Amino acid sequence: MIFQKNTVLITGGSSGIGLELAKRLIQKDNQVIICGRSQEKLQKAKQQVPKVKTFQCDVSQKEDCIKLVDWIQANYPNCNVLINNAAIVHVTDFCQDDQILEKTELEIRTNLMGPIVLSKLMMPLLKKNAGAKLINITSGLAYTPKAAYPIYNATKAALHSFTQVLRKQMHNSPVSVIEVLFPAVDTPWHKGNPPGFAIPPEEAVQEMLQKLEKGALEIKVGKVKMLYQLNRLSPSIASKLINK
């Protein structure tokens, strides 16, 4: 399978993994639409990738998701791929942070509810179009949580579980339900302080697309496969590795 001639919607597509995906998919003769919260960042992304289409949308807001899907249906009715990539994180101490409840709500709405809402709203359109794919981006931290991210780990674990269940419920559907579990990737998401073992976004996306073209439904990128196996054998050692 060659991933070509699709119409792809990528959330959180103005930087990092989302933007790298947009670049690669356009090179493969796909039409790509990206959305993000910041119009300024979307404009900068379009300067880098002139062929990309943009739409300002905060996926944490249901109303924004509805507007996005209405716009897609009106302007890109052939859209057959949704990539739920948008995510945020707060590096904080749960007990010491006075704003932790507000931060928790925002992370859950962005990282979990956003993908769920968009999956539901986009499903009728995806089912109409050939080669349809719903791709949820999660993380190896769905298996082994990092202590610095009290809420992020939980949202990715929940999205991992949701994706597995959705795949089973839709096993007779024409829509392929795919999950991509990334390791640490050196993107602006880390705010200039990526871990030493983070891999470049180009490498991460290249591996994702290679496995996607082979028909994989659960794609463990980089060392996530090793982390998964280690967590099954010894959760305590896996936790020490992630949190050292």
Side-chain angles (χ1 to χ4, degrees):
M1 179 192 74
I2 304 300
F3 200 92
Q4 290 180 321
K5 300 187 183 302
N6 300 283
T7 300
V8 184
L9 169 61
I10 306 173
T11 69
S14 62
S15 65
I17 290 172
L19 182 57
E20 183 62 28
L21 272 170
K23 293 176 182 177
R24 296 295 185 94
L25 292 176
I26 282 177
Q27 291 172 4
K28 290 177 175 284
D29 196 25
N30 297 283
Q31 186 171 50
V32 178
I33 307 112
I34 62 172
C35 74
R37 291 178 297 172
S38 168
Q39 184 63 38
E40 181 182 357
K41 289 183 178 180
L42 288 170
Q43 290 173 346
K44 288 181 179 179
K46 190 167 181 61
Q47 290 173 359
Q48 294 184 54
V49 192
K51 291 184 178 180
V52 77
K53 309 300 180 183
T54 67
F55 189 91
Q56 187 176 11
C57 172
D58 182 350
V59 299
S60 74
Q61 303 298 317
K62 184 178 178 181
E63 295 78 10
D64 274 23
C65 292
I66 293 172
K67 290 177 183 177
L68 169 63
V69 174
D70 286 347
W71 180 78
I72 291 289
Q73 289 174 334
N75 295 278
Y76 301 96
N78 294 324
C79 184
N80 66 330
V81 180
L82 167 62
I83 303 180
N84 283 311
N85 168 71
I88 62 170
V89 66
H90 294 100
V91 182
T92 187
D93 185 310
F94 182 85
C95 294
Q96 299 299 321
D97 191 335
D98 292 337
Q99 281 76 48
I100 190 61
L101 296 182
E102 291 82 1
K103 292 176 180 178
T104 296
E105 184 177 354
L106 182 57
E107 283 196 48
I108 291 174
R109 288 205 318 262
T110 303
N111 302 357
L112 179 60
M113 285 304 300
I116 290 174
V117 169
L118 281 176
S119 296
K120 183 64 174 179
L121 295 176
M122 284 289 293
M123 194 60 69
L125 185 61
L126 294 177
K127 286 182 176 180
K128 291 179 182 178
N129 294 321
K133 296 173 179 59
L134 192 164
I135 303 174
N136 287 333
I137 304 299
T138 67
S139 165
L141 300 179
Y143 301 131
T144 304
K146 186 176 179 64
Y149 307 154
I151 310 305
Y152 177 84
N153 308 292
T155 62
K156 289 301 183 181
L159 187 58
H160 169 64
S161 178
F162 168 74
T163 307
Q164 289 183 314
V165 169
L166 190 61
R167 185 183 301 124
K168 289 184 179 296
Q169 290 191 351
M170 297 183 62
H171 70 281
N172 290 324
S173 167
V175 181
S176 296
V177 179
I178 300 164
E179 180 180 9
V180 183
L181 298 103
F182 279 110
V185 180
D186 187 0
T187 69
W189 189 86
H190 290 285
K191 298 180 180 179
N193 190 32
F197 52 83
I199 64 175
E202 296 83 1
E203 179 182 333
V205 168
Q206 177 69 15
E207 184 176 345
M208 169 188 168
L209 293 179
Q210 287 175 345
K211 292 181 177 178
L212 187 64
E213 291 185 345
K214 292 179 180 178
L217 295 179
E218 188 168 285
I219 299 171
K220 301 178 179 71
V221 175
K223 294 183 178 179
V224 171
K225 184 175 181 179
M226 181 188 73
L227 178 62
Y228 168 74
Q229 294 171 337
L230 180 59
N231 185 64
R232 288 176 64 87
L233 292 170
S234 177
S236 62
I237 294 177
S239 182
K240 287 180 182 178
L241 179 67
I242 287 295
N243 290 289
K244 69 177 181 180

